[in-house]
Amino acid sequence: MIPTFGTDGVRGLANAELTPELALALGRAATRVLGTGGFVVGRDTRRSGPMLQAALAAGLASEGADVADAGVLPTPGVAHLCARRGLAGAVVSASHNPFADNGVKLFAPGGTKLAEAVEAAVSAELEQLAGRIGEDRRRPTGRAVGWIGPDAAGAAQYRAHLVGALEGRRLERLRVVLDCARGAAGGLAESVFCEAGAAVVGVLADVNDGSDVNDGSDINDGCDVNDGCDVNDGCDINDGCGSTHPEGLQQAVVAQGADLGLAFDGDADRVVAVDESGGLVDGDQMLALFAPDLGSRGQLPGEAVVVTVMANLGLRLAMAARGIAVREVAVGDRHVLAELEDQGLALGGEQSGHIVFRERATTGDGILTGLLLADLVVRRGRPLGELAGEAMTRLPQRLVNVAVGDPAGLAAAEQVWGEVASVSAQLGRSGRVVVRASGTEPLVRVMVEAPTPQEAAEVASHLVSVITRELG
């Protein structure tokens, strides 16, 4: 079975569902659809990354495309290089998924996510190629074969782009703790914040630190490069750390007396923040901070922000109170980006921490978002916890992931949708229910907002039992 494109590229269990043979075929298919103008290819730190990146790059080159190997680099870093150079790109990563999974994200020339029609064309070409290696049309030979080589300047160019987003402003006297999820942000995020003037007082789950992320006892005390001990073997990316497990970061921020903490995911295209008291600041709260700030500086065209259906009702109410319109799209930063482009807007994002500054990036960028959040805190001269608390009041929300055999079966599950309609009617305007199939994992995601945490939990529990009974 060939893995299909989900909300963020192709994903599957590495070497079982997403095999080197499939990655090679995907590289060939991508070149046939996106052209031979050249590709920037990067990856995160998971164990299967070099294997799959090599196969993908071989497929691209076999169809005549030159490949710049950016090595370990965040997804937004690859997107930036594509935009800067006018090239297509690919990232071998499964984002926040466990290390045994992997995936391929593709960018069109210029660093934008693929339009649905283009994605469908790549998928159709992949179907034709898979299982027919060596049996199809004549391939390029001689000088027409694509070249694969290291991209020596890529990381430095991306780093300069990030620091340049501050427009000369500095983060002096700001104390920051970083959690790099043992992923693509490792080393890079620390150097960026140090260059911007921040005091990086702790680095959790960096690529090489081998630390226990839950006790905060062995975080670094400055901006020195890690010593390379306990070199990461690619088997613990996202494991108990990063944006999906920020508990260790919360403890470390308090223990170090830091002003804020930032937790990235495996490919660093998302971030969640931790305030000075250890409280979480998610994507909704960051949007509630960024939108009025940009508006006050004349940098919020259309006086609107783009969110997904999962955005907390509290964000919508906060934006309405400030005269900022909310444009709602389906889950996935691709949909956020498409709406930003179509409407000429500047800011959008997801509760998970994918924040898109359209005039600065072509995709969500965790390091960029973290830098701009730190800059906002410095400019305001007040603690992040106070700022986030004033920006919006969260409605109690319950999020539950339900493991199912076939998430696609949700669409036809009449009993499930009947219950969703029933509880939605009971909540009325005081709450919301969103049930959707995951585009990246065998899960159905349930989100309930209600006047009280207990009511949200009860409604979510009821829906989980119905989904489990109907879909297994």
Side-chain angles (χ1 to χ4, degrees):
M1 178 179 176
I2 300 174
T4 57
F5 282 88
T7 55
D8 202 11
V10 176
R11 289 188 193 173
L13 183 61
N15 214 34
E17 298 166 337
L18 183 56
T19 63
E21 292 85 356
L22 183 63
L24 187 145
L26 179 57
R28 298 186 63 200
T31 308
R32 291 186 178 188
V33 174
L34 300 177
T36 59
F39 283 76
V40 178
V41 179
R43 61 179 175 87
D44 66 22
T45 57
R46 63 193 73 221
R47 189 178 186 87
S48 60
M51 173 185 73
L52 293 173
Q53 183 182 10
L56 178 71
L60 297 169
S62 77
E63 290 289 328
D66 288 344
V67 179
D69 179 0
V72 174
L73 194 69
T75 290
V78 173
H80 170 71
L81 296 178
C82 291
R84 179 187 178 111
R85 303 170 184 175
L87 300 177
V91 180
V92 178
S93 172
S95 189
H96 61 283
N97 283 30
F99 93 91
D101 292 342
N102 217 325
V104 177
K105 304 180 182 185
L106 294 172
F107 291 106
T112 59
K113 293 288 181 75
L114 301 189
E116 290 187 5
V118 176
E119 192 174 84
V122 174
S123 184
E125 194 69 44
L126 176 61
E127 290 278 357
Q128 293 294 318
L129 286 168
R132 295 173 48 203
I133 296 174
E135 298 177 8
D136 54 300
R137 72 183 190 188
R138 181 183 179 89
R139 304 185 192 182
T141 59
R143 292 185 179 274
V145 172
W147 171 87
I148 301 173
D151 187 345
Q157 290 173 354
Y158 177 49
R159 186 184 302 111
H161 158 71
L162 290 169
V163 176
L166 296 180
E167 300 174 328
R169 296 185 297 275
R170 301 284 291 169
L171 304 180
E172 306 292 352
R173 296 184 297 280
L174 193 73
R175 293 168 59 83
V176 181
V177 180
L178 304 174
D179 179 347
C180 298
R182 303 191 189 93
L188 176 65
E190 182 180 6
S191 68
V192 166
F193 275 85
C194 287
E195 187 174 342
V200 180
V201 297
V203 182
L204 298 174
D206 204 349
V207 178
N208 294 327
D209 70 355
S211 63
D212 179 346
V213 301
N214 290 318
D215 64 8
S217 62
D218 53 1
I219 50 183
N220 299 323
D221 60 0
C223 296
D224 292 336
V225 178
N226 292 316
D227 64 6
C229 298
D230 302 320
V231 175
N232 178 273
D233 64 0
C235 295
D236 52 6
I237 185 172
N238 299 316
D239 186 8
C241 57
S243 62
T244 53
H245 297 281
E247 301 84 6
L249 179 63
Q250 291 174 279
Q251 294 176 23
V253 167
V254 174
Q256 293 297 311
D259 297 301
L260 62 89
L262 299 167
F264 309 102
D265 67 336
D267 67 335
D269 64 353
R270 71 170 75 177
V271 65
V272 296
V274 172
D275 67 28
E276 69 286 351
S277 65
L280 280 178
V281 178
D282 66 14
D284 285 347
Q285 292 166 293
M286 285 188 276
L287 287 173
L289 286 166
F290 286 132
D293 182 68
L294 290 174
S296 69
R297 295 186 286 153
Q299 298 177 16
L300 192 70
E303 292 296 313
V305 63
V306 179
V307 305
T308 75
V309 295
M310 300 297 286
N312 192 275
L313 182 57
L315 172 60
R316 303 163 196 271
L317 296 174
M319 294 298 94
R322 292 166 174 78
I324 298 173
V326 172
R327 311 288 188 215
E328 183 179 287
V329 297
V331 171
D333 65 340
R334 179 177 66 181
H335 301 295
V336 173
L337 282 158
E339 184 72 5
L340 290 172
E341 290 289 340
D342 290 345
Q343 301 299 321
L345 304 178
L347 178 68
E350 301 182 275
Q351 187 181 86
S352 62
H354 281 113
I355 307 296
V356 182
F357 296 89
R358 186 178 68 90
E359 296 181 356
R360 297 190 179 278
T362 60
T363 186
D365 188 328
I367 301 177
L368 174 66
T369 300
L371 270 178
L372 295 179
L373 180 66
D375 175 54
L376 188 153
V377 170
V378 170
R379 286 188 287 106
R380 295 287 184 84
R382 296 174 57 202
L384 175 59
E386 289 184 11
L387 295 172
E390 292 176 2
M392 66 172 277
T393 301
R394 293 178 56 84
L395 199 69
Q397 188 180 77
R398 181 72 170 174
L399 298 171
V400 184
N401 292 326
V402 188
V404 298
D406 180 17
L410 176 65
E414 295 182 2
Q415 185 66 32
V416 173
W417 294 117
E419 289 301 315
V420 170
S422 176
V423 298
S424 296
Q426 293 172 22
L427 290 170
R429 295 184 177 180
S430 63
R432 291 193 312 139
V433 175
V434 177
V435 176
R436 67 181 186 88
S438 169
T440 60
E441 300 173 88
L443 302 171
V444 169
R445 306 194 193 278
V446 177
M447 187 277 287
V448 178
E449 292 173 341
T452 68
Q454 180 180 356
E455 188 173 358
E458 290 174 351
V459 172
S461 178
H462 170 65
L463 291 175
V464 167
S465 66
V466 174
I467 291 168
T468 301
R469 183 181 70 235
E470 295 298 314
L471 299 179

